[in-house]
Amino acid sequence: DTGVSQNPRHKITKRGQNVTFRCDPISEHNRLYWYRQTLGQGPEFLTYFQNEAQLEKSRLLSDRFSAERPKGSFSTLEIQRTEQGDSAMYLCASSLRSTRGEETQYFGPGTRLLVL
Amino acid sequence: AQSVAQPEDQVNVAEGNPLTVKCTYSVSGNPYLFWYVQYPNRGLQFLLKYITGDNLVKGSYGFEAEFNKSQTSFHLKKPSALVSDSALYFCAVRDVNTGTASKLTFGTGTRLQVTL
């Protein structure tokens, strides 16, 4: 399967703990995105990378959140000192940058986080 | 700022009947428009997109969508619904002229229920 993969698929943690999620994009894709989806809502943009550079971060991304893409391949999203409000589905997507910007983002299966 | 409205939380249709899932958008420039489908506990699956050209776009699984610039709409359609089409459908937009991120802005989703 050459689609976007995410690990773990599910994570249950206690409030105050740190968690880290991993995303492996489609191999030739140079852009990688993180979104958050809460129940009854559409995905909301968090941040994106072009190769290893983090080019934009949403105001949703508090200083407890950090994302990396060290070699321009896989990416990690870490949440420090988790809060119950962080409970959500975290979606990763990747795309191949196009000159006109019309590229399609392909999504992974998501990591569902539950903070107790 | 860009935004998407999906006015119907749920659409019910009998198998074999045509279906329409509505979407309207707001951007300052020209839009790129996308439809995705989400099955339970899964990520988003790309259906189709409008970039430019013909207003009627054909996509996966027999779905199509019609871009209407004057009404700022991009409704999803299928001539004959299947029970297996039952899922959550998301419309998304990106402003061509943002000049920054290629992030997508999603609507809140419409649940499609197809019954026998």
Side-chain angles (χ1 to χ4, degrees):
Chain A
D1 190 302
T2 57
V4 179
S5 62
Q6 293 186 245
N7 288 288
R9 294 291 308 277
H10 304 274
K11 179 71 177 178
I12 300 174
T13 190
K14 293 182 179 179
R15 188 178 54 178
Q17 298 295 304
N18 299 342
V19 294
T20 299
F21 310 141
R22 176 176 170 129
C23 171
D24 287 88
I26 294 171
S27 59
E28 66 269 25
H29 285 183
N30 51 10
R31 283 185 168 173
L32 186 149
Y33 312 78
W34 286 98
Y35 290 83
R36 182 173 66 189
Q37 184 180 20
T38 53
L39 201 61
Q41 299 297 317
E44 296 175 294
F45 170 78
L46 293 178
T47 188
Y48 98 102
F49 294 83
Q50 183 164 300
N51 299 313
E52 65 275 10
Q54 188 173 17
L55 296 188
E56 184 170 345
K57 293 192 290 186
S58 163
R59 282 172 287 181
L60 292 175
L61 211 65
S62 77
D63 56 6
R64 296 185 297 107
F65 288 69
S66 62
E68 294 182 342
R69 194 183 184 199
K71 297 183 179 179
S73 56
F74 73 91
S75 175
T76 58
L77 178 68
E78 181 182 16
I79 309 174
Q80 297 182 327
R81 305 181 303 282
T82 53
E83 301 173 356
Q84 289 182 326
D86 297 331
S87 296
M89 174 83 90
Y90 290 84
L91 294 165
C92 176
S94 71
S95 70
L96 184 63
R97 180 183 179 275
S98 63
T99 53
R100 292 189 304 164
E102 77 276 21
E103 73 260 26
T104 298
Q105 295 180 23
Y106 294 93
F107 284 78
T111 295
R112 185 170 294 281
L113 173 66
L114 177 61
V115 182
L116 301 176
Chain B
Q2 54 196 39
S3 65
V4 172
Q6 293 183 244
E8 302 155 316
D9 289 337
Q10 180 156 328
V11 170
N12 299 308
V13 65
E15 188 174 55
N17 284 358
L19 68 88
T20 299
V21 181
K22 295 180 180 178
C23 170
T24 58
Y25 66 90
S26 175
V27 295
S28 57
N30 292 316
Y32 289 151
L33 293 155
F34 301 79
W35 275 102
Y36 287 85
V37 60
Q38 187 175 35
Y39 294 97
N41 299 314
R42 301 281 296 277
L44 275 68
Q45 184 174 339
F46 170 71
L47 281 179
L48 52 79
K49 67 182 179 183
Y50 170 81
I51 302 301
T52 187
D54 288 342
N55 290 341
L56 186 63
V57 178
K58 294 187 182 299
S60 306
Y61 312 117
F63 284 94
E64 58 190 28
E66 186 168 10
F67 171 66
N68 187 318
K69 187 171 184 178
S70 62
Q71 297 185 1
T72 62
S73 67
F74 189 55
H75 301 331
L76 182 70
K77 300 181 180 184
K78 187 174 182 182
S80 179
L82 299 172
V83 171
S84 58
D85 293 330
S86 299
L88 192 55
Y89 290 79
F90 289 98
C91 181
V93 69
R94 182 156 62 78
D95 189 334
V96 174
N97 300 326
T98 53
T100 54
S102 60
K103 65 182 180 184
L104 294 175
T105 298
F106 286 85
T108 51
T110 298
R111 185 165 301 281
L112 175 65
Q113 187 70 43
V114 182
T115 54
L116 290 171

